[in-house]
Amino acid sequence: MASGFFQEIEKIRYEGEDSKNPLAFRHYNPDEVIMGKRMEDHLRFAVAWWHSFAWEGGDPFGGPTLERPWHPQDDMGRAKMKADIAFEMFDILGQPYFCWHDADIRPEQGNYADNLRTLEEITDYIGEKMQVSGTKLLWGTANMFSHRRWMGGASTNPDPDVFAFAAATVKSCIDATHKLGGENYVLWGGREGYETLLNTDMGAELDHMGRFLNMVVEYKHKIGFKGAILVEPKPQEPSKHQYDYDAATCIGFLRKYGLEDEVKLNLEQGHAILAGHSFEHEIATATAEGMLGSIDMNRNDYQSGWDTDQFPNNTPEVALAYYHILKAGGFTTGGTNFDAKIRRQSIDAEDLIAAHVGGMDICARGLKAAAAMIEDGGLEAALADRYAGWSTEAAQSMLSSGLDEITARVLAEEINPQPRSGRQEILENYVNRFV
């Protein structure tokens, strides 16, 4: 039975590029075949439970603006109402997946035993709804940043009792994810960092964080969880400095603690921007090392210095992100999670639907552009041409030589290279043909 919250909004349909309907897909056609695979299977869309249903519309200067019947989120009755509304929205949008933190789906009880009890109760309830709807869990995670107990970190906290509470919390969330058939488990450490080095033993904190993540991997194998374990980079906010700064930092951390074959990355557009990178840079970094797991799709306001988590609307940015994803073979267990929230003034139920429709369309448009570039082969041909010199026998043998041998060759052959154009503008113009 419909709740009435979505005011009888009908299921969103694909109507094509000429549609003027704000609640119709113009580019996202789930059954359209792109590079031999259905569009839905390429993109693997997921709704973020925290932004779409748990967020109340507050900001640092004002309280909630989104008056929802399931707010405040302080009892199990409202938690179940929230789940009912969520699955109504999944049905309207045709969403194949969703993602959650434990604190999004159950009320905070203040102690571990009651948090565990309510988590088990609500995931049983969600599991029943999943069987009916067919919508699956892309990933689960633990919120270890909102409650005051986490103010000094979770696995990096100076208090070992907080470390213990964090370990138990993650165990419960992995168990819940496993029970619901989740395809990944994510750890994002918003408080795993520091506000000041004056009170921080960085070496000890990094070691504790590394051991904690090894415990997670050990437990995954113990219970037979087949999904991927993912970590999510972000340089700051809420902490002044977070240890999972960006993709390269995470990869170095994983290698230091022997986790490079066990853990991959969940990359977010907004976090890439905060780290001073583009999204395609972070994706290319991860794919170069075989460590791309999944993505959180959103955007930041480039006039603001914080993580605004807006829905994507920039086709060129999205196309280049999917270009690198497709070039690496596409998602396996990962997908496209909309870690994005409607604006504080967008208070209607229709706004929530329209935001996802627009985001899904932009991603579909970007995917089609990325696939067209790959099939055309122009960028790959330009790369092959630029690096062609390295395919010669002399160039390859140089890599196994020493400085003395290379210097002798430079003198003997009178090597005096001249610069060659990087052709950046030509390549940018090429990309613009597709987007």
Side-chain angles (χ1 to χ4, degrees):
M1 177 180 290
S3 67
F5 177 75
F6 288 110
Q7 302 163 356
E8 300 181 1
I9 294 174
E10 296 181 354
K11 287 188 178 183
I12 307 302
R13 309 292 183 189
Y14 171 71
E15 295 184 2
E17 294 187 36
D18 294 332
S19 176
K20 301 287 195 295
N21 181 359
L23 295 183
F25 296 125
R26 299 176 65 248
H27 295 278
Y28 179 62
N29 180 2
D31 292 323
E32 181 177 348
V33 175
I34 306 289
M35 293 177 62
K37 186 188 292 188
R38 293 174 65 249
M39 185 180 286
E40 180 181 271
D41 298 332
H42 272 298
L43 293 167
R44 295 166 59 86
F45 285 132
V47 170
W49 204 285
W50 53 98
H51 284 326
S52 292
F53 310 112
W55 188 57
E56 298 181 359
D59 68 15
F61 302 95
T65 61
L66 305 179
E67 296 180 348
R68 308 303 199 205
W70 58 88
H71 294 163
Q73 303 164 87
D74 56 2
D75 67 38
M76 288 302 293
R78 280 190 277 270
K80 291 179 180 178
M81 182 192 303
K82 193 193 318 181
D84 293 340
I85 300 294
F87 278 86
E88 278 188 46
M89 193 174 92
F90 303 158
D91 183 59
I92 289 169
L93 290 167
Q95 282 286 324
Y97 292 97
F98 63 96
C99 302
W100 52 255
H101 301 84
D102 56 336
D104 308 325
I105 58 175
R106 55 126 182 99
E108 172 61 41
Q109 301 295 300
N111 65 75
Y112 178 74
D114 288 335
N115 279 347
L116 177 60
R117 173 181 55 79
T118 52
L119 180 64
E120 290 175 342
E121 180 180 348
I122 194 61
T123 48
D124 284 345
Y125 189 76
I126 288 171
E128 293 171 0
K129 303 189 81 65
M130 289 172 66
Q131 289 182 357
V132 174
S133 74
T135 304
K136 297 175 286 188
L137 178 62
L138 187 65
W139 50 260
T141 187
N143 179 325
M144 298 192 294
F145 48 89
S146 294
H147 193 278
R148 67 192 299 268
R149 73 171 65 90
W150 311 122
M151 66 182 186
S155 68
T156 62
N157 200 288
D159 184 345
D161 285 348
V162 177
F163 182 103
F165 199 106
T169 298
V170 168
K171 176 188 179 301
S172 70
C173 290
I174 295 176
D175 287 340
T177 300
H178 188 36
K179 177 175 73 175
L180 295 177
E183 299 186 20
N184 309 268
Y185 184 82
V186 172
L187 297 102
W188 176 66
R191 305 286 182 189
E192 308 290 41
Y194 63 80
E195 300 298 331
T196 174
L197 284 172
L198 296 174
N199 64 6
T200 301
D201 184 339
M202 186 185 293
E205 291 194 357
L206 288 169
D207 284 346
H208 294 163
M209 188 175 168
R211 178 61 195 133
F212 189 96
L213 193 51
N214 268 285
M215 290 178 184
V216 169
V217 169
E218 290 163 8
Y219 187 68
K220 163 194 165 169
H221 292 303
K222 179 180 179 179
I223 65 172
F225 177 58
K226 301 302 182 185
I229 302 297
L230 309 176
V231 294
E232 181 170 333
K234 188 179 183 182
Q236 76 251 356
E237 193 199 42
S239 298
K240 173 184 176 180
H241 174 89
Q242 285 156 214
Y243 295 137
D244 288 341
Y245 190 93
D246 60 5
T249 305
C250 286
I251 290 167
F253 174 87
L254 294 174
R255 286 190 172 134
K256 177 180 179 181
Y257 294 100
L259 293 160
E260 65 272 23
D261 295 327
E262 295 282 0
V263 180
K264 297 184 184 298
L265 305 184
N266 183 62
L267 300 173
E268 179 179 316
Q269 161 86 350
H271 295 178
I273 301 305
L274 288 180
H277 306 310
S278 65
F279 199 20
E280 64 263 29
H281 166 89
E282 290 290 88
I283 293 171
T285 300
T287 58
E289 302 298 329
M291 290 191 185
L292 176 66
S294 194
I295 64 170
D296 281 358
M297 180 60 78
N298 57 25
R299 80 180 197 274
N300 281 356
D301 186 325
Y302 290 107
Q303 293 174 303
S304 300
W306 60 90
D307 194 10
T308 55
D309 285 328
Q310 294 172 250
F311 278 84
N313 69 357
N314 186 318
T315 302
E317 283 185 342
V318 170
L320 289 172
Y322 283 118
Y323 177 83
H324 289 283
I325 292 169
L326 290 178
K327 198 167 77 163
F331 294 122
T332 53
T333 62
T336 304
N337 174 47
F338 285 115
D339 188 357
K341 55 180 181 275
I342 54 178
R343 297 301 87 196
R344 195 165 177 264
Q345 297 179 53
S346 300
I347 61 176
D348 295 342
E350 184 180 79
D351 296 324
L352 185 58
I353 299 296
H356 284 86
V357 169
M360 294 165 76
D361 251 1
I362 286 292
C363 290
R365 194 174 175 186
L367 177 76
K368 289 189 287 187
M373 285 190 285
I374 287 175
E375 289 171 340
D376 180 79
L379 289 180
E380 288 303 302
L383 278 181
D385 179 66
R386 191 173 190 214
Y387 290 89
W390 284 100
S391 63
T392 65
E393 183 178 343
Q396 289 299 306
S397 65
M398 180 172 62
L399 294 176
S400 58
S401 301
L403 295 182
D404 288 337
E405 292 87 349
I406 295 173
T407 300
R409 177 172 165 253
V410 169
L411 289 170
E413 299 180 17
E414 297 183 357
I415 293 176
N416 184 22
Q418 299 303 307
R420 295 177 57 197
S421 172
R423 306 178 78 235
Q424 179 172 333
E425 291 75 17
I426 290 173
L427 295 176
E428 289 172 341
N429 293 345
Y430 169 86
V431 171
N432 284 336
R433 285 167 40 197
F434 296 89
V435 297

